[in-house]
Amino acid sequence: MKKIIIILLVLSLHYFHAATGQEIDEVVNLLPSVEGYSNWSVKDSAEIFYDDDLFLYINGGADIYLEYGFEKVVACKYRNFEAHTILIDIYKMTDPTAAYGIFSLNSSNWGKAVDLGTASILYDYYLDSWKGSYFIRFTANNNEPGMMDTLLLLAKQLDSKIEEKGKLPHLSLAFDLPDIEFETIKYIRGIIALNNVFNFGHGSISGFSEGLIGSFDGKMLFAFSYADDKKRREWFASAKGKMQMSKKFTDYTEIDEGFTVKDKSGSYLCFKPYKRFIIVVKGENWEEAQSVFINLQKNLDGI
């Protein structure tokens, strides 16, 4: 496990070499300068956490970042003369889709889209941004207009330092569906992220390499991608067995090549295998879900 590196910053954020003699980390160089901001200064030194040391910074939430593919995070807090603060966390992920995944997992439909980075959403007192391999969160200790204006200025400055744009995961094209306007779409890479959105029960859905979860009209659509058809067959058979024995769901019924169950509220979940994918529709019975299956399968054919 690597040590935490503490890097001292002067007020203008002109960076020096660390005490180890190594060059200052490139992620630290992304931090915005407060030179010219007469009321603002750096409150604390910037801290960098690598690999498993992330547990020391966000114990209880680090597993999700590591599941997507995490390299390091730099955290730095800014303060004005009124003791208000803005915390900036810059997460360097292993690739743009990992950064997008974290961004999507944290997104909700009550934020406001902002023209920054590849995608950004402004909430009451914080801003989440994705650009290239970076997921960045700016958090103010209050949402007064002046505070949020400063937060956005710092975000624009940081955004200008990241050249890499990043693209949506190829799988995301599958959810370009007629007649469905998704409220949120989550891109996941494992069980930890899945369980943060919906819990099918221990090991019921597993083994996938990536997946999409979309919410619409009180319903949910899941698409799980496997390495190949053989892997999907193995994991679909496992899912069938576990869902039959599940205490979370009832009324297991096999239909065609798929099956349905009901949750405790009486809502249907329809499971269908398709090539190297497992598709699940929650909130519609088998007949109602057919149009979703058909349209999603057409999109999956091109992925």
Side-chain angles (χ1 to χ4, degrees):
M1 186 180 292
K2 297 180 181 178
K3 292 176 65 177
I4 305 171
I5 300 175
I6 307 296
I7 299 174
L8 298 178
L9 305 181
V10 294
L11 297 186
S12 63
L13 291 181
H14 291 170
Y15 305 111
F16 295 96
H17 291 286
T20 60
Q22 298 176 343
E23 290 187 0
I24 293 299
D25 193 285
E26 78 277 6
V27 181
V28 175
N29 287 319
L30 296 177
L31 286 167
S33 169
V34 288
E35 188 174 11
Y37 291 62
S38 59
N39 289 335
W40 287 88
S41 63
V42 175
K43 180 181 184 296
D44 298 309
S45 302
E47 295 181 284
I48 303 182
F49 300 86
Y50 293 90
D51 303 322
D52 289 346
D53 283 327
L54 182 62
F55 286 100
L56 300 174
Y57 184 54
I58 52 170
N59 188 21
D63 280 333
I64 294 176
Y65 288 82
L66 294 169
E67 181 177 78
Y68 277 106
F70 168 81
E71 288 187 5
K72 52 196 162 187
V73 59
V74 61
C76 188
K77 186 172 286 187
Y78 299 75
R79 179 177 60 186
N80 67 10
F81 291 160
E82 297 176 329
H84 297 318
T85 61
I86 294 174
L87 173 65
I88 300 178
D89 295 304
I90 307 173
Y91 292 87
K92 174 69 183 299
M93 307 299 287
T94 52
D95 55 70
T97 55
Y100 167 71
I102 285 293
F103 173 79
S104 71
L105 193 67
N106 283 283
S107 67
S108 71
N109 60 359
W110 51 267
K112 175 185 176 183
V114 176
D115 187 18
L116 283 172
T118 310
S120 296
I121 302 178
L122 181 65
Y123 301 95
D124 284 347
Y125 61 93
Y126 67 96
L127 171 75
D128 281 351
S129 185
W130 162 53
K131 191 173 185 182
S133 298
Y134 297 94
F135 167 68
I136 308 119
R137 172 164 286 178
F138 305 80
T139 307
N141 71 336
N142 66 66
N143 62 355
E144 295 177 3
M147 283 286 290
M148 300 311 291
D149 289 343
T150 300
L151 184 151
L152 287 171
L153 287 173
L154 294 174
K156 289 177 182 178
Q157 185 186 152
L158 193 158
D159 178 61
S160 69
K161 296 183 179 184
I162 302 174
E163 295 182 2
E164 181 186 19
K165 189 74 172 175
K167 296 180 180 179
L168 290 170
H170 191 53
L171 182 61
S172 66
L173 298 175
F175 275 18
D176 183 11
L177 297 170
D179 303 323
I180 294 182
E181 185 174 344
F182 289 102
E183 296 155 8
T184 61
I185 295 177
K186 316 287 187 183
Y187 173 75
I188 62 173
R189 281 187 170 176
I191 295 299
I192 300 172
L194 171 59
N195 287 343
N196 271 263
V197 183
F198 186 82
N199 192 335
F200 286 91
H202 182 67
S204 296
I205 296 291
S206 191
F208 57 90
S209 56
E210 59 179 346
L212 291 178
I213 306 171
S215 300
F216 65 102
D217 297 330
K219 307 169 188 176
M220 300 181 78
L221 176 61
F222 304 80
F224 302 100
S225 176
Y226 292 80
D228 50 45
D229 290 4
K230 182 176 181 294
K231 287 291 185 184
R232 190 274 301 157
R233 286 194 298 272
E234 293 172 358
W235 286 106
F236 189 72
S238 174
K240 287 176 67 175
K242 293 190 176 189
M243 295 303 285
Q244 288 182 70
M245 302 297 293
S246 175
K247 295 181 179 179
K248 290 173 61 70
F249 303 98
T250 60
D251 297 337
Y252 173 89
T253 306
E254 292 196 28
I255 306 176
D256 299 331
E257 70 273 35
F259 66 92
T260 65
V261 295
K262 289 182 180 180
D263 64 17
K264 292 183 178 180
S265 70
S267 179
Y268 277 97
L269 285 86
C270 303
F271 295 73
K272 185 176 184 180
Y274 184 71
K275 296 185 176 179
R276 60 183 176 89
F277 304 95
I278 293 176
I279 305 168
V280 184
V281 177
K282 181 182 182 298
E284 295 185 342
N285 64 34
W286 189 261
E287 290 73 23
E288 293 168 338
Q290 288 311 299
S291 63
V292 178
F293 284 143
I294 291 168
N295 290 322
L296 180 55
Q297 288 169 193
K298 289 178 182 177
N299 288 350
L300 291 173
D301 283 337
I303 292 174

